[in-house]
Amino acid sequence: MERPLDLDAVQAFVLVADLQSFTRAAEALDSTQSAISLKLKKLEQRLARRLLERTPRLVRLSADGQEFLPAARELLGAHERALGKLAQGAARFSVGISDHVAGSAFAAVLSQVNGYDPGVVIEVRIAPSREVMQQYERGELDAAIVRREPQDSGGELVMEERIGWFAAPQWRWHPGETLRLATFSTTCRIRDMTLRRLDEAGIPWVEVFIGGGIHAVGAAVSAGLAVSALLYRTAPAGVVEVGAALKLPSLPLAQVVLHSRLKEKRTQGVLRTLVAALKAA
């Protein structure tokens, strides 16, 4: 009888395939890149197949890896179903995510998280960072993934994201004219920072659209109403970055931090996978 496959190695393979990164997979599994690489090397030796093609900039599945991936997912799913029959109810937790961080690829993020452990129920709330932090501080959320401001304290820095000035390709503005802006609600810290930078640069501006979320502001930008400061990850398809061309003030990196009260290993693992998937999105 052949010895069974190492489930930890199979899980590492699926995460590397989904996240296209040894580093992100290691973060999701609270491990190291070298440990993940060793697990996958042993798995490839066990199967006598090369599952991944590795290059300095890219990790992609080989033909054998593409063939093995559905079976690997089914193996992990069967394992979770078996455990579920013994568990006293499903594990669950709640997490709030800044709408600037969730971005437009959040469906793919959720798919990757579900592939890691479909037995965990996640309550997700997407809202402005300030609102998410208020809910977390009131004890309404188990975890929060938000933008950090200089006055904020605590939290684990998990990523840094670029912010740029985005507009529709047909949008035009000439220095000296009043800059037409699409901004977020008055409680948004990105709005506060954007207006402060324009005032410091002596650029006159006027708000022509105020949106209650990233999708509303993105729609205004795509429609050619105005320019807006957006994280690159949330910029709608088809818009262009115009900051350098129009000599608009530079914008700082957005620091994204994680706050968590989770203590149980299983839910911590799902939360780590969620963060890793957001970073890879």
Side-chain angles (χ1 to χ4, degrees):
M1 178 179 177
E2 293 190 15
R3 58 188 174 85
L5 296 177
D6 180 352
L7 286 176
D8 288 342
V10 175
Q11 186 178 61
F13 164 71
V14 171
L15 279 172
V16 170
D18 285 344
L19 301 175
Q20 298 183 337
S21 167
F22 280 83
T23 301
R24 300 285 182 263
E27 291 172 353
L29 293 172
D30 196 21
S31 183
T32 64
Q33 185 173 335
S34 59
I36 297 299
S37 182
L38 180 60
K39 284 181 183 292
L40 292 181
K41 182 178 180 180
K42 289 182 177 179
L43 179 62
E44 289 177 325
Q45 291 173 345
R46 170 67 180 82
L47 296 172
R49 295 287 189 276
R50 187 171 183 83
L51 302 176
L52 297 165
E53 301 292 345
R54 303 163 175 84
T55 67
R57 293 187 177 183
L58 183 66
V59 177
R60 62 186 179 188
L61 294 175
S62 67
D64 286 330
Q66 292 175 353
E67 183 178 354
F68 178 63
L69 183 59
R73 293 193 195 279
E74 178 56 30
L75 177 60
L76 294 176
H79 178 252
E80 289 302 323
R81 288 192 294 274
L83 291 178
K85 291 184 180 297
L86 300 175
Q88 297 298 314
R92 64 187 304 141
F93 69 93
S94 58
V95 57
I97 305 174
S98 166
D99 52 358
H100 294 286
V101 177
S104 58
F106 194 59
V109 169
L110 290 178
S111 176
Q112 292 165 10
V113 173
N114 185 68
Y116 173 82
D117 190 340
V120 174
V121 177
I122 312 174
E123 178 188 343
V124 177
R125 303 183 193 179
I126 297 177
S129 289
R130 186 175 298 177
E131 184 177 329
V132 169
M133 277 307 299
Q134 289 172 347
Q135 294 177 13
Y136 179 78
E137 290 167 352
R138 290 196 299 262
E140 298 172 8
L141 296 169
D142 299 309
I145 304 171
V146 296
R147 288 182 60 250
R148 173 188 283 165
E149 290 298 312
Q151 66 270 25
D152 294 341
S153 61
E156 173 193 353
L157 178 64
V158 292
M159 61 179 123
E160 292 185 314
E161 293 286 334
R162 291 188 299 162
I163 306 175
W165 297 97
F166 287 90
Q170 71 273 18
W171 187 82
R172 295 290 181 268
W173 174 76
H174 301 286
E177 297 177 350
T178 300
L179 184 67
R180 294 170 59 85
L181 290 177
T183 64
F184 297 92
S185 67
T186 55
T187 61
C188 178
R189 291 168 173 176
I190 285 186
R191 174 188 180 275
D192 297 342
M193 178 270 295
T194 299
L195 300 184
R196 185 171 61 252
R197 289 292 175 104
L198 290 173
D199 288 340
E200 291 170 350
I203 297 175
W205 53 268
V206 60
E207 290 177 306
V208 299
F209 183 90
I210 299 175
I214 188 66
H215 296 297
V217 174
V221 173
S222 296
L225 272 64
V227 65
S228 186
L230 302 170
L231 270 67
Y232 276 68
R233 69 186 296 119
T234 62
V239 303
V240 293
E241 209 288 327
V242 296
L246 299 181
K247 296 183 173 56
L248 295 174
S250 61
L251 301 172
L253 289 173
Q255 291 191 327
V256 180
V257 294
L258 168 67
H259 299 265
S260 174
R261 299 188 182 92
L262 294 176
K263 303 297 183 183
E264 201 268 321
K265 184 176 180 181
R266 185 181 183 189
T267 53
Q268 285 180 335
V270 174
L271 181 61
R272 284 196 304 270
T273 303
L274 174 61
V275 171
L278 284 169
K279 292 170 73 172

